[in-house]
């Protein structure tokens, strides 16, 4: 069984992420979306909230599992009986950062492969940081995030 791991902070998950999940799920028998705890970031949503939001956003993808992880990604990937990391890329700046991370993974374990999936053009400008900023100032979120995420953002910023 080919198992792919798609890691990220997903704070919050966007339609761009969901598009990557949909496309990645066709490349593997099972796709594990791993919500990572990044100690360098202050998250808007807790890890449990992010997992719940992703689960609610991907019910239409049959071969997906949503999990959370900490520590070294390579160790997590191996714990899932995988050797495939799947990353979404929006821009050249993403590639430079993700390329370096892929080389670190390869250095740590030569059996781990990283696959890059380019974003759909309609989501190339969408980032979780931009979404949080839009939500903070009551900007238009429709079409950028799943409806459940829109509701959660409005609840966080507007008390709805």
């Amino acid at each position: 069984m080919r198992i792919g791991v798609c890691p990220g902070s997903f704070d919050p998950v966007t339609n761009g992420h969901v598009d990557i999940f949909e496309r990645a799920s066709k490349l593997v028998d099972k796709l594990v979306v791993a919500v990572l705890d990044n100690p360098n970031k202050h998250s808007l949503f807790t890890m449990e909230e992010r997992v719940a939001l992703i689960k609610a956003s991907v019910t239409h993808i049959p071969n997906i599992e949503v999990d959370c992880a900490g520590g070294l990604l390579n160790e997590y990937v191996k714990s899932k009986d995988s050797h495939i990391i799947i990353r979404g890329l929006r821009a050249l700046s993403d590639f430079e950062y993700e390329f370096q991370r892929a080389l670190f993974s390869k250095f740590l374990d030569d059996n781990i492969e990283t696959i890059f999936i380019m974003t759909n053009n309609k989501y190339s400008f969408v980032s979780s940081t931009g979404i949080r900023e839009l939500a903070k100032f009551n900007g238009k979120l429709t079409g950028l995030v799943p409806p459940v995420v829109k509701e959660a953002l409005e609840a966080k910023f507007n008390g709805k």
Side-chain angles (χ1 to χ4, degrees), residues 8-14 17 35-38 41-54 57 68 127-129 131-133 135-136 141 145-158 160:
S9 54
F10 309 115
D11 187 39
V13 66
T14 69
H17 292 130
V35 179
L36 302 179
D37 181 28
N38 186 336
K41 291 184 179 180
H42 177 72
S43 299
L44 175 63
F45 292 101
T46 66
M47 187 171 290
E48 294 77 17
E49 289 172 322
R50 288 180 276 155
V51 167
L53 289 170
I54 295 169
S57 301
C68 52
S127 69
S128 293
T129 302
I131 294 297
R132 289 192 307 270
E133 187 174 330
K136 182 177 181 179
L141 296 171
V145 295
V148 68
V149 174
K150 181 178 181 287
E151 291 171 15
L153 285 163
E154 289 170 348
K156 284 275 188 190
F157 288 110
N158 305 320
K160 291 182 182 178

Side-chain angles (χ1 to χ4, degrees), residues 54-97:
I54 295 169
K55 283 182 178 180
S57 301
V58 297
T59 57
H60 63 287
I61 305 173
N63 61 332
I64 198 165
E65 172 188 325
V66 183
D67 195 16
C68 52
L72 280 178
L73 178 59
N74 280 29
E75 296 303 317
Y76 178 79
V77 169
K78 286 191 271 189
S79 79
K80 291 295 184 179
D81 294 323
S82 178
H83 65 275
I84 303 167
I85 298 171
I86 300 174
R87 299 264 190 193
L89 297 177
R90 287 171 301 167
L92 185 59
S93 58
D94 284 351
F95 176 76
E96 291 175 13
Y97 176 74

Side-chain angles (χ1 to χ4, degrees), residues 87-105 114 116-118:
R87 299 264 190 193
L89 297 177
R90 287 171 301 167
L92 185 59
S93 58
D94 284 351
F95 176 76
E96 291 175 13
Y97 176 74
E98 295 298 348
F99 181 69
Q100 183 181 33
R101 291 178 66 156
L103 292 176
F104 268 118
S105 288
T114 301
F116 297 116
I117 298 179
M118 300 305 300

